[in-house]
Amino acid sequence: MAGDGKLRAMRRPLRDWDLRPIWVGIAVMMLVALAAELVVLYGIIDDQRAIGTDLGFFQNVARRWLDTGVYYADYQLSGPYAVATDADNLYPPIALYLFVPFLVLPAILWWVIPLVLIAYVVYWCRPPAWALPVLAALVLYPKTPAVILYGGTDMWAIAFAAAGVRWGWPAVLVAFKPSVGFLAMVGIGNRGWWIGAAVLAVASLPFIGLWVDYPKVLLNSDTDIGRSWSNMPFLSLPIIAWLVSTRRDTPIRSWAARLVTGTRP
């Protein structure tokens, strides 16, 4: 009977594909809200002439090092000091490999490269529809748009971690920002990760003198390592994308499977 068929259809439990338009719609609305938030924040930060000020600081650090050989200020090495934003350099020497190229590269690439890489890896992870609002919420987190507009290095740390989810070895590059260095562990079970770590260690050798200074710079400062953790939602984006991924061939997933079961997935 046609009536019985309709009744059975009404009783059929909702499946994921039934809710897909709803999940996608919620995610889209959240991204529209993010766009609006970016526009409002851009106006406020632009009035302060502060768009991209973090990038300007990193360029100044790189230029000073090239011109004078000075990477850390004398007062950072001589005794206790209060850290001032965009004035005191707390990055390890290997950060120069990121900062120096942007003395000649177009500034726009400081944003385009990491943001496109993050977006690509999230897409590559093929998150299920129900997870899209969750991922959108991580980006909508209030501090995230500000980090992007100021040009903070969190973008690059997340991009390197995302690349680690995709290829394994690039995660070692997160080491340029020790406060979120735990993200460098992404893909540690991948052979390429260890090769990348070895290459990074060799690349650090020209900065031996600066590496000797680096612990002094940190110990003399009043910096709080937890400051970067205040943007944890954005920092966790590639990890969450991996955790909900419908793929089974991510390097980190293969490593986790071997760790738990002793076999390949």
Side-chain angles (χ1 to χ4, degrees), residues 16-17 19-24 27 122-136 240-248 253:
D16 182 65
W17 58 264
L19 300 177
R20 182 179 297 271
I22 297 176
W23 299 131
V24 173
V122 171
Y123 172 79
W124 179 83
C125 283
R126 297 177 189 167
W130 63 263
L132 296 180
V134 175
L135 297 174
I240 300 300
W242 161 71
L243 289 174
V244 301
S245 174
T246 59
R247 301 185 69 100
R248 294 295 179 269
R253 187 183 294 275

mmCIF file of all heavy atoms in Angstrom, residues 16-17 19-24 27 122-136 240-248 253:
data_model
loop_
_atom_site.group_PDB
_atom_site.id
_atom_site.type_symbol
_atom_site.label_atom_id
_atom_site.label_comp_id
_atom_site.label_asym_id
_atom_site.label_seq_id
_atom_site.Cartn_x
_atom_site.Cartn_y
_atom_site.Cartn_z
ATOM 1 N N ASP A 16 22.832 10.709 8.178
ATOM 2 C CA ASP A 16 23.736 11.846 8.054
ATOM 3 C C ASP A 16 23.430 12.681 6.816
ATOM 4 O O ASP A 16 23.443 13.900 6.864
ATOM 5 C CB ASP A 16 25.182 11.344 8.006
ATOM 6 C CG ASP A 16 26.172 12.486 7.923
ATOM 7 O OD1 ASP A 16 26.241 13.248 8.891
ATOM 8 O OD2 ASP A 16 26.855 12.625 6.895
ATOM 9 N N TRP A 17 23.137 11.999 5.682
ATOM 10 C CA TRP A 17 22.919 12.760 4.455
ATOM 11 C C TRP A 17 21.637 13.576 4.515
ATOM 12 O O TRP A 17 21.487 14.564 3.818
ATOM 13 C CB TRP A 17 22.930 11.857 3.228
ATOM 14 C CG TRP A 17 21.924 10.742 3.229
ATOM 15 C CD1 TRP A 17 22.129 9.464 3.614
ATOM 16 C CD2 TRP A 17 20.558 10.815 2.806
ATOM 17 N NE1 TRP A 17 20.990 8.724 3.479
ATOM 18 C CE2 TRP A 17 20.002 9.521 2.968
ATOM 19 C CE3 TRP A 17 19.747 11.837 2.311
ATOM 20 C CZ2 TRP A 17 18.682 9.229 2.659
ATOM 21 C CZ3 TRP A 17 18.428 11.541 1.993
ATOM 22 C CH2 TRP A 17 17.915 10.248 2.163
ATOM 23 N N LEU A 19 20.820 15.340 7.073
ATOM 24 C CA LEU A 19 21.172 16.549 7.809
ATOM 25 C C LEU A 19 22.268 17.367 7.138
ATOM 26 O O LEU A 19 22.571 18.474 7.592
ATOM 27 C CB LEU A 19 21.627 16.175 9.225
ATOM 28 C CG LEU A 19 20.590 15.442 10.087
ATOM 29 C CD1 LEU A 19 21.198 15.060 11.425
ATOM 30 C CD2 LEU A 19 19.360 16.309 10.285
ATOM 31 N N ARG A 20 22.836 16.834 6.073
ATOM 32 C CA ARG A 20 23.965 17.520 5.439
ATOM 33 C C ARG A 20 23.638 18.972 5.076
ATOM 34 O O ARG A 20 24.448 19.870 5.368
ATOM 35 C CB ARG A 20 24.425 16.749 4.200
ATOM 36 C CG ARG A 20 25.629 17.365 3.499
ATOM 37 C CD ARG A 20 26.029 16.520 2.294
ATOM 38 N NE ARG A 20 26.446 15.207 2.720
ATOM 39 C CZ ARG A 20 27.696 14.892 3.042
ATOM 40 N NH1 ARG A 20 28.628 15.824 3.014
ATOM 41 N NH2 ARG A 20 28.015 13.667 3.382
ATOM 42 N N PRO A 21 22.517 19.267 4.437
ATOM 43 C CA PRO A 21 22.227 20.670 4.114
ATOM 44 C C PRO A 21 22.169 21.564 5.348
ATOM 45 O O PRO A 21 22.550 22.735 5.288
ATOM 46 C CB PRO A 21 20.861 20.598 3.414
ATOM 47 C CG PRO A 21 20.773 19.206 2.893
ATOM 48 C CD PRO A 21 21.461 18.362 3.924
ATOM 49 N N ILE A 22 21.711 21.001 6.466
ATOM 50 C CA ILE A 22 21.624 21.785 7.692
ATOM 51 C C ILE A 22 23.022 22.107 8.210
ATOM 52 O O ILE A 22 23.334 23.258 8.539
ATOM 53 C CB ILE A 22 20.817 21.027 8.770
ATOM 54 C CG1 ILE A 22 19.375 20.827 8.293
ATOM 55 C CG2 ILE A 22 20.853 21.773 10.101
ATOM 56 C CD1 ILE A 22 18.522 20.007 9.230
ATOM 57 N N TRP A 23 23.897 21.075 8.272
ATOM 58 C CA TRP A 23 25.269 21.294 8.753
ATOM 59 C C TRP A 23 26.006 22.288 7.864
ATOM 60 O O TRP A 23 26.686 23.194 8.363
ATOM 61 C CB TRP A 23 26.041 19.971 8.807
ATOM 62 C CG TRP A 23 25.481 18.919 9.707
ATOM 63 C CD1 TRP A 23 25.248 17.614 9.397
ATOM 64 C CD2 TRP A 23 25.087 19.066 11.084
ATOM 65 N NE1 TRP A 23 24.725 16.936 10.465
ATOM 66 C CE2 TRP A 23 24.620 17.803 11.520
ATOM 67 C CE3 TRP A 23 25.077 20.142 11.972
ATOM 68 C CZ2 TRP A 23 24.166 17.584 12.823
ATOM 69 C CZ3 TRP A 23 24.625 19.936 13.270
ATOM 70 C CH2 TRP A 23 24.180 18.668 13.675
ATOM 71 N N VAL A 24 25.866 22.106 6.561
ATOM 72 C CA VAL A 24 26.537 23.010 5.623
ATOM 73 C C VAL A 24 25.989 24.426 5.776
ATOM 74 O O VAL A 24 26.748 25.405 5.782
ATOM 75 C CB VAL A 24 26.367 22.516 4.174
ATOM 76 C CG1 VAL A 24 26.909 23.548 3.182
ATOM 77 C CG2 VAL A 24 27.085 21.179 3.974
ATOM 78 N N ALA A 27 27.425 26.056 8.858
ATOM 79 C CA ALA A 27 28.836 26.413 8.636
ATOM 80 C C ALA A 27 28.947 27.657 7.766
ATOM 81 O O ALA A 27 29.767 28.546 8.038
ATOM 82 C CB ALA A 27 29.578 25.241 7.996
ATOM 83 N N VAL A 122 42.483 21.176 5.458
ATOM 84 C CA VAL A 122 41.152 20.910 6.022
ATOM 85 C C VAL A 122 40.261 20.285 4.955
ATOM 86 O O VAL A 122 39.546 19.303 5.224
ATOM 87 C CB VAL A 122 40.525 22.206 6.572
ATOM 88 C CG1 VAL A 122 39.057 21.974 6.946
ATOM 89 C CG2 VAL A 122 41.306 22.696 7.794
ATOM 90 N N TYR A 123 40.310 20.809 3.733
ATOM 91 C CA TYR A 123 39.527 20.236 2.632
ATOM 92 C C TYR A 123 39.994 18.815 2.337
ATOM 93 O O TYR A 123 39.180 17.909 2.117
ATOM 94 C CB TYR A 123 39.664 21.114 1.392
ATOM 95 C CG TYR A 123 39.065 20.527 0.145
ATOM 96 C CD1 TYR A 123 37.690 20.579 -0.082
ATOM 97 C CD2 TYR A 123 39.865 19.894 -0.808
ATOM 98 C CE1 TYR A 123 37.126 20.023 -1.218
ATOM 99 C CE2 TYR A 123 39.315 19.333 -1.942
ATOM 100 C CZ TYR A 123 37.942 19.398 -2.155
ATOM 101 O OH TYR A 123 37.400 18.835 -3.277
ATOM 102 N N TRP A 124 41.311 18.610 2.314
ATOM 103 C CA TRP A 124 41.877 17.295 1.997
ATOM 104 C C TRP A 124 41.464 16.250 3.022
ATOM 105 O O TRP A 124 41.303 15.073 2.699
ATOM 106 C CB TRP A 124 43.398 17.403 1.939
ATOM 107 C CG TRP A 124 44.091 16.113 1.651
ATOM 108 C CD1 TRP A 124 44.303 15.539 0.431
ATOM 109 C CD2 TRP A 124 44.681 15.227 2.617
ATOM 110 N NE1 TRP A 124 44.979 14.353 0.572
ATOM 111 C CE2 TRP A 124 45.221 14.139 1.905
ATOM 112 C CE3 TRP A 124 44.804 15.260 4.003
ATOM 113 C CZ2 TRP A 124 45.881 13.079 2.531
ATOM 114 C CZ3 TRP A 124 45.453 14.211 4.637
ATOM 115 C CH2 TRP A 124 45.975 13.144 3.913
ATOM 116 N N CYS A 125 41.268 16.667 4.274
ATOM 117 C CA CYS A 125 40.869 15.731 5.327
ATOM 118 C C CYS A 125 39.445 15.199 5.132
ATOM 119 O O CYS A 125 39.054 14.232 5.790
ATOM 120 C CB CYS A 125 40.976 16.398 6.695
ATOM 121 S SG CYS A 125 42.665 16.520 7.323
ATOM 122 N N ARG A 126 38.688 15.837 4.264
ATOM 123 C CA ARG A 126 37.305 15.414 3.995
ATOM 124 C C ARG A 126 36.497 15.267 5.289
ATOM 125 O O ARG A 126 35.986 14.180 5.600
ATOM 126 C CB ARG A 126 37.294 14.092 3.240
ATOM 127 C CG ARG A 126 37.934 14.116 1.878
ATOM 128 C CD ARG A 126 37.929 12.741 1.266
ATOM 129 N NE ARG A 126 38.709 12.654 0.043
ATOM 130 C CZ ARG A 126 39.057 11.511 -0.544
ATOM 131 N NH1 ARG A 126 38.679 10.362 -0.012
ATOM 132 N NH2 ARG A 126 39.777 11.509 -1.645
ATOM 133 N N PRO A 127 36.354 16.328 6.037
ATOM 134 C CA PRO A 127 35.567 16.219 7.273
ATOM 135 C C PRO A 127 34.113 15.922 6.967
ATOM 136 O O PRO A 127 33.581 16.373 5.946
ATOM 137 C CB PRO A 127 35.721 17.608 7.903
ATOM 138 C CG PRO A 127 36.041 18.515 6.757
ATOM 139 C CD PRO A 127 36.839 17.686 5.796
ATOM 140 N N PRO A 128 33.444 15.156 7.806
ATOM 141 C CA PRO A 128 32.014 14.881 7.582
ATOM 142 C C PRO A 128 31.209 16.155 7.751
ATOM 143 O O PRO A 128 31.656 17.127 8.385
ATOM 144 C CB PRO A 128 31.693 13.854 8.681
ATOM 145 C CG PRO A 128 32.716 14.109 9.748
ATOM 146 C CD PRO A 128 33.958 14.520 9.031
ATOM 147 N N ALA A 129 30.020 16.150 7.206
ATOM 148 C CA ALA A 129 29.193 17.360 7.219
ATOM 149 C C ALA A 129 28.934 17.870 8.628
ATOM 150 O O ALA A 129 28.942 19.078 8.869
ATOM 151 C CB ALA A 129 27.874 17.084 6.502
ATOM 152 N N TRP A 130 28.721 16.969 9.579
ATOM 153 C CA TRP A 130 28.397 17.408 10.940
ATOM 154 C C TRP A 130 29.551 18.170 11.588
ATOM 155 O O TRP A 130 29.332 18.962 12.513
ATOM 156 C CB TRP A 130 28.013 16.224 11.823
ATOM 157 C CG TRP A 130 29.117 15.215 12.032
ATOM 158 C CD1 TRP A 130 29.301 14.050 11.352
ATOM 159 C CD2 TRP A 130 30.186 15.302 12.987
ATOM 160 N NE1 TRP A 130 30.418 13.393 11.808
ATOM 161 C CE2 TRP A 130 30.987 14.139 12.818
ATOM 162 C CE3 TRP A 130 30.540 16.230 13.959
ATOM 163 C CZ2 TRP A 130 32.120 13.888 13.582
ATOM 164 C CZ3 TRP A 130 31.685 15.986 14.728
ATOM 165 C CH2 TRP A 130 32.453 14.836 14.545
ATOM 166 N N ALA A 131 30.787 17.939 11.098
ATOM 167 C CA ALA A 131 31.954 18.591 11.690
ATOM 168 C C ALA A 131 32.203 19.984 11.128
ATOM 169 O O ALA A 131 32.987 20.747 11.699
ATOM 170 C CB ALA A 131 33.201 17.727 11.471
ATOM 171 N N LEU A 132 31.561 20.339 10.029
ATOM 172 C CA LEU A 132 31.820 21.640 9.414
ATOM 173 C C LEU A 132 31.506 22.814 10.350
ATOM 174 O O LEU A 132 32.293 23.762 10.430
ATOM 175 C CB LEU A 132 31.024 21.755 8.102
ATOM 176 C CG LEU A 132 31.422 20.757 7.004
ATOM 177 C CD1 LEU A 132 30.563 20.976 5.762
ATOM 178 C CD2 LEU A 132 32.905 20.881 6.662
ATOM 179 N N PRO A 133 30.379 22.804 11.077
ATOM 180 C CA PRO A 133 30.152 23.906 12.024
ATOM 181 C C PRO A 133 31.205 23.959 13.130
ATOM 182 O O PRO A 133 31.547 25.039 13.617
ATOM 183 C CB PRO A 133 28.760 23.598 12.594
ATOM 184 C CG PRO A 133 28.099 22.762 11.548
ATOM 185 C CD PRO A 133 29.200 21.919 10.979
ATOM 186 N N VAL A 134 31.703 22.795 13.531
ATOM 187 C CA VAL A 134 32.738 22.755 14.571
ATOM 188 C C VAL A 134 34.002 23.442 14.070
ATOM 189 O O VAL A 134 34.600 24.284 14.758
ATOM 190 C CB VAL A 134 33.049 21.302 14.979
ATOM 191 C CG1 VAL A 134 34.206 21.260 15.974
ATOM 192 C CG2 VAL A 134 31.817 20.636 15.561
ATOM 193 N N LEU A 135 34.419 23.102 12.846
ATOM 194 C CA LEU A 135 35.619 23.705 12.267
ATOM 195 C C LEU A 135 35.416 25.202 12.035
ATOM 196 O O LEU A 135 36.331 26.006 12.258
ATOM 197 C CB LEU A 135 35.965 23.001 10.953
ATOM 198 C CG LEU A 135 36.331 21.511 11.084
ATOM 199 C CD1 LEU A 135 36.513 20.888 9.711
ATOM 200 C CD2 LEU A 135 37.589 21.322 11.923
ATOM 201 N N ALA A 136 34.216 25.568 11.599
ATOM 202 C CA ALA A 136 33.929 26.993 11.390
ATOM 203 C C ALA A 136 33.986 27.755 12.713
ATOM 204 O O ALA A 136 34.458 28.892 12.773
ATOM 205 C CB ALA A 136 32.552 27.162 10.744
ATOM 206 N N ILE A 240 41.927 18.917 14.776
ATOM 207 C CA ILE A 240 40.511 18.542 14.797
ATOM 208 C C ILE A 240 40.086 18.030 13.420
ATOM 209 O O ILE A 240 39.350 17.046 13.316
ATOM 210 C CB ILE A 240 39.631 19.741 15.209
ATOM 211 C CG1 ILE A 240 40.016 20.229 16.608
ATOM 212 C CG2 ILE A 240 38.159 19.360 15.167
ATOM 213 C CD1 ILE A 240 39.865 19.189 17.696
ATOM 214 N N ALA A 241 40.564 18.693 12.361
ATOM 215 C CA ALA A 241 40.232 18.242 11.005
ATOM 216 C C ALA A 241 40.713 16.817 10.785
ATOM 217 O O ALA A 241 40.031 16.011 10.135
ATOM 218 C CB ALA A 241 40.859 19.185 9.979
ATOM 219 N N TRP A 242 41.896 16.506 11.306
ATOM 220 C CA TRP A 242 42.396 15.136 11.188
ATOM 221 C C TRP A 242 41.562 14.165 12.002
ATOM 222 O O TRP A 242 41.217 13.074 11.542
ATOM 223 C CB TRP A 242 43.849 15.060 11.639
ATOM 224 C CG TRP A 242 44.258 13.665 11.970
ATOM 225 C CD1 TRP A 242 44.450 12.627 11.098
ATOM 226 C CD2 TRP A 242 44.456 13.109 13.272
ATOM 227 N NE1 TRP A 242 44.764 11.481 11.775
ATOM 228 C CE2 TRP A 242 44.774 11.742 13.113
ATOM 229 C CE3 TRP A 242 44.411 13.653 14.555
ATOM 230 C CZ2 TRP A 242 45.045 10.909 14.194
ATOM 231 C CZ3 TRP A 242 44.684 12.817 15.641
ATOM 232 C CH2 TRP A 242 44.989 11.464 15.447
ATOM 233 N N LEU A 243 41.220 14.537 13.244
ATOM 234 C CA LEU A 243 40.491 13.634 14.127
ATOM 235 C C LEU A 243 39.141 13.242 13.553
ATOM 236 O O LEU A 243 38.666 12.125 13.772
ATOM 237 C CB LEU A 243 40.318 14.283 15.509
ATOM 238 C CG LEU A 243 41.581 14.400 16.361
ATOM 239 C CD1 LEU A 243 41.290 15.194 17.633
ATOM 240 C CD2 LEU A 243 42.144 13.027 16.706
ATOM 241 N N VAL A 244 38.499 14.174 12.838
ATOM 242 C CA VAL A 244 37.182 13.869 12.271
ATOM 243 C C VAL A 244 37.273 13.438 10.818
ATOM 244 O O VAL A 244 36.254 13.173 10.173
ATOM 245 C CB VAL A 244 36.241 15.099 12.387
ATOM 246 C CG1 VAL A 244 36.070 15.515 13.834
ATOM 247 C CG2 VAL A 244 36.748 16.268 11.540
ATOM 248 N N SER A 245 38.487 13.352 10.287
ATOM 249 C CA SER A 245 38.684 13.055 8.868
ATOM 250 C C SER A 245 38.040 11.740 8.469
ATOM 251 O O SER A 245 38.059 10.755 9.217
ATOM 252 C CB SER A 245 40.182 13.003 8.555
ATOM 253 O OG SER A 245 40.410 12.580 7.227
ATOM 254 N N THR A 246 37.477 11.711 7.281
ATOM 255 C CA THR A 246 36.940 10.463 6.745
ATOM 256 C C THR A 246 37.990 9.711 5.942
ATOM 257 O O THR A 246 37.720 8.631 5.430
ATOM 258 C CB THR A 246 35.734 10.747 5.828
ATOM 259 O OG1 THR A 246 36.146 11.612 4.755
ATOM 260 C CG2 THR A 246 34.615 11.411 6.605
ATOM 261 N N ARG A 247 39.194 10.277 5.833
ATOM 262 C CA ARG A 247 40.290 9.605 5.151
ATOM 263 C C ARG A 247 40.938 8.610 6.102
ATOM 264 O O ARG A 247 40.798 8.698 7.312
ATOM 265 C CB ARG A 247 41.343 10.604 4.664
ATOM 266 C CG ARG A 247 40.822 11.666 3.708
ATOM 267 C CD ARG A 247 41.963 12.515 3.208
ATOM 268 N NE ARG A 247 42.842 11.762 2.341
ATOM 269 C CZ ARG A 247 42.819 11.809 1.017
ATOM 270 N NH1 ARG A 247 41.946 12.591 0.398
ATOM 271 N NH2 ARG A 247 43.641 11.097 0.294
ATOM 272 N N ARG A 248 41.712 7.687 5.534
ATOM 273 C CA ARG A 248 42.440 6.727 6.359
ATOM 274 C C ARG A 248 43.922 6.712 6.016
ATOM 275 O O ARG A 248 44.652 5.856 6.471
ATOM 276 C CB ARG A 248 41.861 5.311 6.152
ATOM 277 C CG ARG A 248 40.441 5.160 6.659
ATOM 278 C CD ARG A 248 40.374 5.317 8.162
ATOM 279 N NE ARG A 248 39.023 5.190 8.681
ATOM 280 C CZ ARG A 248 38.189 6.186 8.839
ATOM 281 N NH1 ARG A 248 38.558 7.413 8.498
ATOM 282 N NH2 ARG A 248 36.987 6.004 9.327
ATOM 283 N N ARG A 253 47.438 9.570 11.126
ATOM 284 C CA ARG A 253 46.506 8.480 11.428
ATOM 285 C C ARG A 253 47.228 7.144 11.355
ATOM 286 O O ARG A 253 47.027 6.256 12.181
ATOM 287 C CB ARG A 253 45.325 8.504 10.451
ATOM 288 C CG ARG A 253 44.249 7.487 10.823
ATOM 289 C CD ARG A 253 43.137 7.506 9.781
ATOM 290 N NE ARG A 253 42.411 8.753 9.781
ATOM 291 C CZ ARG A 253 41.396 9.022 10.599
ATOM 292 N NH1 ARG A 253 41.034 8.146 11.499
ATOM 293 N NH2 ARG A 253 40.774 10.167 10.517
#
